[in-house]
């Protein structure tokens, strides 16, 4: 049995300024969240995708935990996904789908049972992309 | 003029102790992007199970000059919703082959690339509940 601890932090901040007639106006936009996790399961799966979609299994995953056992999820609650090379989607069999390109990390909550798979789909058929998917759950 | 960033930091440690020996694995996925041009807008509101449309051309957000922001295309979003129910944010234009949908609840932020030119749809996922949402859009 392993002890999982971690955090997912998202920090979006923008400053929007305008100078006119010697007066400067400033608006700031902020959206932030940091969640700590002290239990559960986590797995990281990496791979490449070319012209066809790639299926990522979750029961079990291909990731081995600190004890050397494959991580297998009973439920999944949050994922983070990053792709480089070309725009890629990461979706499930229902409706969830997030997209990444240029290494921009995408993240979303999910409410999925273990055994549901994720599908990494390229937006364009040409070329290849590398992807990383982090799955958190129980 | 806008300046800003999207930062995502995912870090986990996975440890075990057996026979007096500790094993540790670390998982990290991080990304931080700086932006010094483009357009940004923040739209907030409330929703129930019925879909609320959040248009992008124009939005309801006024920039520091008092001008309503209108996007030709939204390329990245951050979405947050309150409450215990999952709240969905859908893109009509979509990204790639599949419909694009991200989820939030309890203030946990979802972020994603996007290719939206029309409107996002926000609603509580399920059959009951209400939530307050915030959607930050970046694009051109």
């Amino acid at each position: 049995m392993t002890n999982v601890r971690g955090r997912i932090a998202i920090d979006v901040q923008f400053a929007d300024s305008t100078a006119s007639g010697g007066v400067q106006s400033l608006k700031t936009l902020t959206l932030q969240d940091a969640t700590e996790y002290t239990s559960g399961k986590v797995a990281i799966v990496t791979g490449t995708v070319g012209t066809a979609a790639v299926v990522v299994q979750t029961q079990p995953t291909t990731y081995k935990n600190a004890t050397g056992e494959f991580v297998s999820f009973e439920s999944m609650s949050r994922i983070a996904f990053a792709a480089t090379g070309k725009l890629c989607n990461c979706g499930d069999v229902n409706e969830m789908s997030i997209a990444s390109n240029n290494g921009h990390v995408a993240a979303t909550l999910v409410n999925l049972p273990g055994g549901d798979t994720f599908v990494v789909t390229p937006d364009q058929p040409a070329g290849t992309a590398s992807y990383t998917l982090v799955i958190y759950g129980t | 003029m806008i300046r800003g960033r999207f930062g995502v930091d995912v870090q986990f440690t996975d440890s075990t102790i057996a026979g007096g020996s500790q094993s540790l694995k670390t998982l990290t996925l991080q990304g931080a992007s700086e932006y010094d041009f483009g357009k940004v807008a923040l739209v907030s509101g409330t929703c129930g199970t019925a879909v609320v449309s959040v248009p992008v051309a124009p939005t309801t957000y006024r920039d520091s000059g008092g001008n309503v922001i209108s996007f030709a295309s939204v390329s990245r979003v951050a979405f947050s919703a309150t409450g215990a129910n999952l709240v969905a944010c859908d893109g009509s234009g979509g990204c790639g082959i599949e419909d694009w949908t991200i989820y939030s609840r309890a203030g946990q932020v979802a972020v994603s690339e996007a290719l939206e030119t029309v409107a996002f749809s926000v609603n509580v996922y399920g059959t009951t509940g209400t939530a307050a949402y915030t959607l930050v859009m970046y694009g051109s």
Side-chain angles (χ1 to χ4, degrees):
Chain A
M1 186 171 171
T2 64
N3 181 21
V4 170
R5 286 182 175 272
R7 68 193 293 263
I8 297 176
I10 298 172
D11 179 19
V12 177
Q13 297 187 61
F14 280 86
D16 160 22
S17 61
T18 301
S20 175
V23 178
Q24 185 176 51
S25 299
L26 176 68
K27 294 185 82 168
T28 60
L29 291 75
T30 302
L31 194 57
Q32 298 168 315
D33 152 48
T35 304
E36 304 287 332
Y37 299 92
T38 59
S39 64
K41 297 178 182 178
V42 66
I44 189 166
V45 178
T46 61
T48 58
V49 59
T51 57
V54 172
V55 176
V56 177
Q57 303 290 338
T58 63
Q59 205 175 59
T61 67
T62 56
Y63 174 77
K64 291 188 176 183
N65 62 20
T67 64
E69 299 168 343
F70 287 109
V71 175
S72 185
F73 289 96
E74 299 303 315
S75 67
M76 297 169 285
S77 59
R78 206 163 182 188
I79 63 168
F81 173 72
T84 59
K86 58 181 175 178
L87 182 66
C88 292
N89 266 24
C90 177
D92 69 357
V93 296
N94 298 315
E95 298 176 359
M96 184 281 297
S97 174
I98 52 176
S100 170
N101 194 7
N102 299 318
H104 294 164
V105 181
T108 184
L109 273 67
V110 296
N111 185 18
L112 300 171
D116 269 16
T117 58
F118 295 101
V119 180
V120 179
T121 306
D123 181 52
Q124 299 295 331
T128 60
S130 299
Y131 68 88
T132 301
L133 175 62
V134 175
I135 308 167
Y136 174 79
T138 62
Chain B
M1 182 181 74
I2 72 155
R3 284 185 179 274
R5 68 190 296 268
F6 274 76
V8 181
D9 180 14
V10 178
Q11 297 189 58
F12 281 88
T13 61
D14 163 21
S15 62
T16 188
I17 298 176
S21 174
Q22 183 178 45
S23 297
L24 177 70
K25 297 186 81 168
T26 60
L27 291 77
T28 302
L29 185 59
Q30 297 169 314
S33 303
E34 305 287 333
Y35 300 92
D36 56 10
F37 65 93
K39 298 177 181 178
V40 66
L42 183 149
V43 176
S44 57
T46 59
C47 66
T49 54
V51 169
V52 171
S53 179
V54 181
V56 305
T59 69
T60 57
Y61 176 78
R62 291 184 181 272
D63 65 13
S64 58
N67 303 306
V68 173
I69 293 292
S70 185
F71 291 97
S73 177
V74 174
S75 60
R76 206 165 181 190
V77 300
F79 176 67
S80 177
T82 61
N85 298 313
L86 275 181
V87 180
C89 178
D90 288 278
S92 64
C95 294
I97 301 171
E98 304 297 329
D99 286 335
W100 178 100
T101 306
I102 57 176
Y103 296 92
S104 170
R105 68 176 159 198
Q108 294 182 323
V109 178
V111 295
S112 179
E113 305 284 277
L115 288 172
E116 187 54 61
T117 59
V118 180
F120 293 100
S121 300
V122 178
N123 69 286
V124 173
Y125 188 73
T127 58
T128 184
T130 60
Y133 68 87
T134 301
L135 179 62
V136 174
M137 298 174 273
Y138 171 81
S140 60

